[in-house]
Amino acid sequence: MDALTLGIPRGYLTDPSLYPSSTPPGCPHDPSPPGGPGAGHGPGADVASASSAARGRCGTCTWSCASPSRRRARRLRGRARWSCAARAGAAAELRLDAHPSLAVTAGQELPVESRPFASYGSALHIALPQPPRAGQLLTLLIDYEAGEGPGVCWLSPEQTAGKQKPYMYTQGQAVLNRSFFPCFDTPSVKFTYSATVKVPEGFTAVMSATSWEKQKDNTFVFKMSQPIPSYLIALVVGDIVSADVGPRSRVWAEPCLIEAAKKEYDGVIEEFLVVGEKLFGPYVWGRYDILFMPPSFPFGGMENPCLTFVTPCLLAGDRSLVDVIIHEISHSWFGNLVTNATWGEFWLNEGFTMYAQRRITTEVYGLPYTCLEAATGRALLRQHMDATGEDHPLNKLRVVIEPGINPDDTYNETPYEKGYCFVSYLAHLVGNQSKFDAFLQAYVNRFKFQSITADDTLGFFLEYFPELKEKGVDSIPGFEFDRWLNTPGWPPYLPDLSPGQQLMRPADELAELWAADSLNMEAIEAVDITGWRTYQLVYFLDQVLQKSPLPEGNLKRLSKMYPKISKAQNAELRLRWCQIILKNNLEAEYSKVKDFLHSQGKQKYTLPLYRAMWGGSEATRALAMETFSATAPQLHVNVQNYVKKILGLAAAEA
Ligand code: BES
Ligand code: ZN
């Protein structure tokens, strides 16, 4: 596979007068009138999109693309066909999000002009012959070629697990899909899509779609029958195969990983889906499949509907990292059904998902284990706030994203863990778990297939619990909803994690013993960690890290005593062990840091380690430079750029 072709314009508009004035088929929604959910200026306006739809309009569009051509390496040629109903007062110009790496090919019948918009994208201005009537259906065809933009990742055979064939994948969230195809690249717009993808012999294409079919000539046809935002469209082309792991689930992976993938999750996914449905309402996406990505995939998981993408680091052999799967499943309701209208409201996606994830985990694995996992999350939030300062503007739930700022650059732990605390606080106000569960289900039902802001969420909460509204729970001093949203800092309310004490206490005590000036080996040897769960070890290591550097010599002994930790293959353990190595200047084990960074490219593992190396000694700085120069080509371009920034190598913005 040298190149792929997907398509857009010859930007031309099929004669609007040929179409009835109606909503396009397949979309349950009218275009939202101005003032509807996610609409208007203020928190609903998406400054990260140049598209016409960004000013509070909720269009409905379908997209189709075909992909041929081996003519040029690493190019994807396509044709996008957008159908959308015009709103009252629409101008005689349509704007789509695009990217300098994306070329609209020649021969337009309508004037199409690409104009600069931001460092992360450009604006495609398409002149219409006249202003459309309200409700008029416009169909726009755009032939285009996408190249090596940030949303389209082309991997050489060496960058795959099997090392035999090239691989390509797309990653849309947050604002990367505008380099994949011209689109309304804003989470405030939802649309259905269908796609036709032709790939070379020996390759398989998969997408985030409710149905797919392989036709002749290695052509795959996909259809997403539910409206979704642009960031959830995803495509992979590679040497991949699948295996069933449940009645509506299969795993996808390169052939050399498929056995391990099947073993990791065979028979466990369905239970999470069933519990999710019981708690939050119907699962509307049909299938729930999981695709194991090449090692450089920058995230633990990405909730592409019907087909979650995950890092191969999850193949721990013992299901210990299944929380990532439960997290991505939870996005099926929070994020994929009810979506943040702008990236400034990202906590609505991630905070509610963390809460949902922990509700499912509680049902399946019990409260103590869930609290233990939540405690490791809280430790991440603590580390983040310590590193940035609590008052940092990104430590608000509602982030003010100024025009020109790349929403991906605002990514941090706050929307996840402070978001989790706020949702837990709402549950605490209600005071009854089943009542709060019922609220969550009603919330999903009320806002499904829509894009909303926190005002919609909190307005609905107060409407659903009028007695709380009456009591004025939104303005309790110190806990005002407005403070939660708009004041940076540590969450004013923390959920009680004490049910996890039975698992955390032994780890706390052991960390204490290892931090002592003179080691009490008798007490240490009396603690048997062989039966500890992965997250107990993670929690223990977080405590050790917090107490580091340990007194001289302690860490060497710890390393020797617990090969289960110091020689771990589990990525969460490896990350913590590497952080501890660096904070203690344990030079003898620096090669482990290097090996870990060579083995995978997840952003949340990569950046903390480079930060630690750069903040350390001359030796660790040299290690950072050496490791980065060897691994940079394998890293996702965003991760590459963040590492460059840490190492002071940042190039001027493209
Ligand atoms: N949607 C996110 C990943 C993401 C966020 C991609 C922002 C691009 C921009 C995904 O659901 C996620 O949160 N993944 C976590 C999983 C964890 C919280 C269990 C990850 O990758 O670590
Ligand atoms: Zn998430």
Side-chain angles (χ1 to χ4, degrees):
M1 179 190 56
D2 298 323
L4 263 184
T5 314
L6 279 179
I8 273 212
R10 300 187 1 145
Y12 68 86
L13 183 73
T14 52
D15 183 359
S17 60
L18 296 177
Y19 291 91
S21 162
S22 71
T23 306
C27 186
H29 308 291
D30 291 332
S32 288
H41 296 277
D46 186 356
V47 299
S49 173
S51 70
S52 320
R55 309 288 180 269
R57 292 184 177 191
C58 222
T60 53
C61 304
T62 58
W63 171 64
S64 68
C65 70
S67 105
S69 155
R70 306 188 62 162
R71 288 179 309 138
R72 286 178 66 190
R74 302 194 161 197
R75 300 214 47 101
L76 187 143
R77 225 186 65 207
R79 162 172 292 188
R81 180 170 160 272
W82 280 98
S83 307
C84 35
R87 283 170 321 134
E93 179 188 73
L94 197 82
R95 287 185 311 279
L96 291 174
D97 290 299
H99 190 269
S101 64
L102 189 140
V104 172
T105 49
Q108 296 91 340
E109 290 174 20
L110 287 178
V112 178
E113 197 195 332
S114 173
R115 295 194 203 153
F117 173 66
S119 61
Y120 54 88
S122 54
L124 219 53
H125 291 247
I126 300 156
L128 308 180
Q130 71 262 325
R133 292 187 311 275
Q136 184 173 9
L137 188 67
L138 307 177
T139 299
L140 190 71
L141 289 176
I142 312 171
D143 289 325
Y144 71 97
E145 273 194 26
E148 296 193 68
V152 188
C153 304
W154 302 87
L155 307 185
S156 65
E158 302 70 51
Q159 292 170 299
T160 65
K163 316 234 177 286
Q164 302 294 314
K165 294 186 186 178
Y167 195 100
M168 79 81 69
Y169 73 89
T170 67
Q171 162 62 38
Q173 199 176 14
V175 289
L176 306 182
N177 263 348
R178 58 192 70 186
S179 68
F180 174 26
F181 63 105
C183 54
F184 298 95
D185 201 5
T186 166
S188 66
V189 170
K190 295 193 177 188
F191 53 94
T192 58
Y193 80 87
S194 60
T196 306
V197 185
K198 184 169 157 51
V199 303
E201 207 47 54
F203 290 86
T204 298
V206 289
M207 290 193 80
S208 51
T210 41
S211 70
W212 66 282
E213 190 190 343
K214 185 176 176 184
Q215 300 183 340
K216 62 177 177 10
D217 292 337
N218 242 17
T219 297
F220 295 81
V221 177
F222 301 95
K223 199 170 157 42
M224 167 46 83
S225 55
Q226 311 283 20
I228 58 169
S230 62
Y231 77 90
L232 291 176
I233 292 186
L235 167 69
V236 160
V237 179
D239 179 14
I240 50 172
V241 292
S242 68
D244 284 340
V245 293
R248 48 184 151 168
S249 301
R250 58 172 71 100
V251 286
W252 285 94
E254 290 181 55
C256 64
L257 291 182
I258 196 71
E259 268 316 304
K262 182 172 167 83
K263 221 174 111 213
E264 194 79 27
Y265 293 129
D266 203 7
V268 296
I269 304 301
E270 185 60 20
E271 186 181 6
F272 305 146
L273 293 169
V274 168
V275 173
E277 291 196 280
K278 186 188 85 184
L279 290 171
F280 315 123
Y283 180 80
V284 306
W285 307 99
R287 301 195 58 83
Y288 179 80
D289 295 338
I290 301 169
L291 172 60
F292 288 85
M293 299 292 283
S296 60
F297 186 61
F299 302 104
M302 176 65 217
E303 67 272 25
N304 298 313
C306 311
L307 182 65
T308 285
F309 289 12
V310 296
T311 167
C313 294
L314 297 196
L315 297 172
D318 57 4
R319 299 183 173 170
S320 56
L321 304 182
V322 77
D323 58 297
V324 176
I325 303 291
I326 301 176
H327 177 93
E328 305 312 334
I329 286 176
S330 301
H331 275 305
S332 305
W333 295 272
F334 305 96
N336 295 4
L337 261 187
V338 181
T339 308
N340 52 215
T342 72
W343 297 118
E345 306 266 354
F346 184 53
W347 79 274
L348 285 179
N349 277 17
E350 297 300 341
F352 275 84
T353 292
M354 290 309 303
Y355 188 85
Q357 171 195 329
R358 289 172 181 154
R359 281 296 295 121
I360 296 178
T361 308
T362 302
E363 297 293 301
V364 178
Y365 297 113
L367 198 51
Y369 180 74
T370 306
C371 289
L372 169 69
E373 186 280 318
T376 66
R378 190 177 291 177
L380 291 177
L381 183 65
R382 188 67 265 169
Q383 283 171 24
H384 160 72
M385 290 216 181
D386 287 346
T388 56
E390 288 197 4
D391 288 343
H392 196 284
L394 291 182
N395 295 338
K396 301 176 190 176
L397 286 181
R398 176 181 277 159
V399 175
V400 180
I401 301 183
E402 300 291 350
I405 297 297
N406 184 337
D408 281 322
D409 295 349
T410 68
Y411 184 85
N412 70 75
E413 287 300 327
T414 299
Y416 289 82
E417 294 296 344
K418 189 174 178 179
Y420 168 68
C421 290
F422 188 26
V423 181
S424 302
Y425 175 65
L426 297 177
H428 163 79
L429 287 175
V430 174
N432 174 309
Q433 188 65 60
S434 38
K435 272 196 198 157
F436 191 70
D437 289 346
F439 159 74
L440 288 177
Q441 199 164 134
Y443 168 69
V444 170
N445 195 43
R446 167 70 181 82
F447 294 114
K448 63 188 173 196
F449 301 117
Q450 297 186 39
S451 303
I452 65 169
T453 69
D455 296 339
D456 298 312
T457 304
L458 297 173
F460 183 70
F461 177 79
L462 293 174
E463 199 181 292
Y464 189 87
F465 295 110
E467 65 286 5
L468 294 182
K469 184 176 183 173
E470 197 109 313
K471 270 181 30 198
V473 293
D474 54 340
S475 48
I476 299 172
F479 302 91
E480 298 88 348
F481 287 0
D482 179 67
R483 173 189 165 140
W484 272 104
L485 293 181
N486 301 313
T487 308
W490 193 247
Y493 168 89
L494 296 168
D496 175 23
L497 302 182
S498 62
Q501 271 309 324
Q502 60 191 93
L503 297 166
M504 291 185 272
R505 197 176 304 110
D508 277 323
E509 287 168 1
L510 187 62
E512 206 59 65
L513 287 171
W514 280 106
D517 280 324
S518 95
L519 290 177
N520 178 350
M521 287 315 288
E522 207 180 322
I524 286 175
E525 278 160 17
V527 183
D528 180 10
I529 67 159
T530 49
W532 284 16
R533 315 268 292 262
T534 297
Y535 270 97
Q536 252 180 312
L537 296 171
V538 164
Y539 180 83
F540 166 65
L541 291 179
D542 278 342
Q543 304 313 307
V544 171
L545 180 63
Q546 234 174 54
K547 298 176 196 303
S548 289
L550 301 185
E552 187 66 33
N554 287 15
L555 196 65
K556 243 188 213 144
R557 286 184 85 167
L558 190 154
S559 171
K560 226 166 150 187
M561 178 138 177
Y562 306 134
K564 183 181 165 125
I565 289 174
S566 56
K567 294 198 164 56
Q569 285 308 305
N570 184 294
E572 291 293 326
L573 295 176
R574 282 175 89 180
L575 166 69
R576 267 85 179 180
W577 185 244
C578 289
Q579 289 176 303
I580 290 170
I581 289 171
L582 292 169
K583 207 159 169 196
N584 287 276
N585 292 312
L586 190 64
E587 284 193 36
E589 302 203 18
Y590 281 175
S591 63
K592 286 190 177 150
V593 180
K594 194 166 117 186
D595 292 347
F596 184 49
L597 290 171
H598 273 260
S599 73
Q600 55 73 43
K602 179 173 156 177
Q603 180 169 318
K604 279 196 199 169
Y605 297 158
T606 305
L607 302 189
L609 291 177
Y610 278 101
R611 272 189 213 112
M613 285 189 280
W614 203 244
S617 63
E618 210 146 287
T620 58
R621 283 188 164 214
L623 182 68
M625 283 298 185
E626 180 200 325
T627 309
F628 184 60
S629 63
T631 58
Q634 297 173 28
L635 295 174
H636 187 278
V637 56
N638 277 7
V639 182
Q640 256 179 54
N641 287 331
Y642 294 136
V643 176
K644 279 186 191 160
K645 232 183 212 162
I646 293 168
L647 304 183
L649 303 170
E653 289 221 313

